[in-house]
């Protein structure tokens, strides 16, 4: 870990903090607290997102998917993809991808002793680089269906970078029967006061942890060209196949601040 890592808040480690993980630094906790002040409910939103991940991975496992490519994964902590299928048979293969070297260094250490689960440092906006990575080539078999997770990733990809074209590039590399899971922040359903708070949160990320691009329902749907959403379709984050075991407490303003969807490549 470099001095720069300790001086700058880092989105993967802030996420880890909100989810109760242990891979975060004082600078991350301080910035996360500032964000929570700006947008009360941010931590809940992060938990909704991880709840969706849990539901989506379980669903895809039940559909027979055994290999997972998790793009913009953050740290492999706090019930991330590989934990959800641990102990289930047959075993799964997971490649976590993040562009943040500090997160990847920490992730590699955590996964050292875990079979068939790896983390690589790559820019998910460059599918050719991701698929050419030796770990991806060795662990994943692209002739077989896989799960491609883009949870909380496309919010970091601006329209000028063509996020829909990016999803298409991944789709074209995947076998029929693959599933895509996407979650995305949105201010579309926020009440006016919460919408103002969301934009203040986006401002607080700019220049520290990254530029966020909020999208409405139509814009998120447009990213999924060529994919068929499975029931219940594109819904607010906590509404995607809610699990009675996953208790989030009373409803909050965070309930409607993001969309989730799982879609199949037919
Ligand atoms: C909001 S967190 C989401 C973590 C996890 N996917 C989840 O849903 O709980 C977004 C992660 O995406 C990573 N990220 C952002 N842009 C990326 C890019 N172009 N390539 C790879 N990772 C990226 C960030 O470093 C961060 O760890």
């Amino acid at each position: 870990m470099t001095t720069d890592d300790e001086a700058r808040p880092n989105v993967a480690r802030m996420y880890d903090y909100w989810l109760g993980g242990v891979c975060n630094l004082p600078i991350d906790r301080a910035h996360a607290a500032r964000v929570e002040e700006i947008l009360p409910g941010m931590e809940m939103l992060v938990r909704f997102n991880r709840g969706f991940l849990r539901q989506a991975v379980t669903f895809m496992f039940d559909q027979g998917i055994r290999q997972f490519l998790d793009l913009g994964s953050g740290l492999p902590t706090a019930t991330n993809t590989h934990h959800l299928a641990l102990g289930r048979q047959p075993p799964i293969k997971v490649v976590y991808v993040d562009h943040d070297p500090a997160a990847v260094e920490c992730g590699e250490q955590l996964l050292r002793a875990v079979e068939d689960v790896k983390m690589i440092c790559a820019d998910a906006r460059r599918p050719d680089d991701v698929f050419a990575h030796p770990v991806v080539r060795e662990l994943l078999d692209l002739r077989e269906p896989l799960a491609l997770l883009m949870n909380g990733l496309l919010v970091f990809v601006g329209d000028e970078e063509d996020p829909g074209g990016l999803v298409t590039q991944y789709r074209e590399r995947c076998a029929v029967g693959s599933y895509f899971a996407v979650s995305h922040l949105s201010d579309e359903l926020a009440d006016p006061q919460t919408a103002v708070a969301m934009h203040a949160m986006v401002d607080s990320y700019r220049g520290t942890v990254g530029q966020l691009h909020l999208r409405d329902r139509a814009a998120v749907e447009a990213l999924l060209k060529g994919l068929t959403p499975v029931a219940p379709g594109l819904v607010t984050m906590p509404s995607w196949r809610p699990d009675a075991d996953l208790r989030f407490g009373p409803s909050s303003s965070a309930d409607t601040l993001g969309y989730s969807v799982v879609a199949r490549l037919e």
Side-chain angles (χ1 to χ4, degrees):
M1 187 145 324
T2 65
T3 329
D4 192 42
D5 291 332
E6 290 168 36
R8 281 173 69 86
N10 167 297
V11 68
R13 295 192 311 245
M14 283 164 61
Y15 235 70
D16 178 69
Y17 168 66
W18 274 314
L19 290 167
V22 292
C23 290
N24 49 79
L25 301 175
I27 187 79
D28 308 310
R29 299 193 278 277
H31 196 70
R34 262 203 303 284
V35 171
E36 181 69 27
E37 263 171 38
I38 295 169
L39 178 63
M42 184 67 190
E43 177 179 335
M44 186 62 94
L45 197 52
V46 169
R47 289 182 180 273
F48 285 153
N49 193 34
R50 191 50 60 93
F52 166 63
L53 175 92
R54 169 180 162 165
Q55 299 299 82
V57 168
T58 304
F59 168 80
M60 293 185 285
F61 183 89
D62 290 344
Q63 304 309 303
I65 297 293
R66 296 293 176 263
Q67 37 180 9
F68 293 79
L69 181 57
D70 190 341
L71 302 170
S73 62
L75 287 153
T77 56
T79 323
N80 213 326
T81 300
H82 76 285
H83 298 106
L84 296 163
L86 275 182
R88 300 182 70 165
Q89 289 300 330
I92 61 165
K93 297 178 177 190
V94 179
V95 180
Y96 290 112
V97 180
D98 208 288
H99 68 164
D100 178 346
V104 175
E105 188 187 329
C106 184
E108 281 172 339
Q109 280 175 24
L110 289 168
L111 296 171
R112 241 185 350 231
V114 188
E115 206 176 333
D116 289 341
V117 181
K118 300 275 183 238
M119 184 155 192
I120 65 168
C121 194
D123 188 337
R125 293 169 302 179
R126 299 176 179 277
D128 287 345
D129 292 356
V130 172
F131 287 116
H133 196 287
V135 166
V136 173
R137 291 167 64 97
E138 187 191 317
L139 214 55
L140 305 183
D141 180 355
L142 296 186
R143 293 166 303 182
E144 296 293 325
L146 83 156
L148 204 130
L149 307 174
M150 292 181 156
N151 290 344
L153 171 73
L154 296 170
V155 73
F156 289 96
V157 183
D159 286 345
E160 69 288 357
E161 297 180 289
D162 188 14
L166 179 63
V167 177
T168 299
Q169 286 185 61
Y170 279 102
R171 194 192 74 213
E172 288 172 350
R173 305 291 283 267
C174 292
V176 166
S178 295
Y179 287 90
F180 284 56
V182 172
S183 65
H184 205 298
L185 283 180
S186 177
D187 61 353
E188 184 177 23
L189 301 176
D191 61 66
Q193 195 185 344
T194 306
V196 169
M198 269 190 113
H199 286 274
M201 180 273 289
V202 170
D203 288 344
S204 84
Y205 265 54
R206 190 180 300 124
T208 49
V209 287
Q211 176 67 54
L212 297 178
H213 306 270
L214 306 180
R215 293 194 169 89
D216 63 16
R217 181 190 182 87
V220 179
E221 266 169 355
L223 302 176
L224 302 170
K225 220 170 74 192
L227 296 166
T228 309
V230 303
L234 179 75
V235 292
T236 55
M237 255 181 228
S239 319
W240 200 89
R241 301 182 181 233
D243 180 349
D245 292 343
L246 204 62
R247 292 182 217 294
F248 288 120
S251 66
S252 79
S253 60
D255 287 4
T256 55
L257 303 186
Y259 289 115
S260 296
V261 63
V262 174
R264 188 171 192 273
L265 175 54
E266 306 286 1

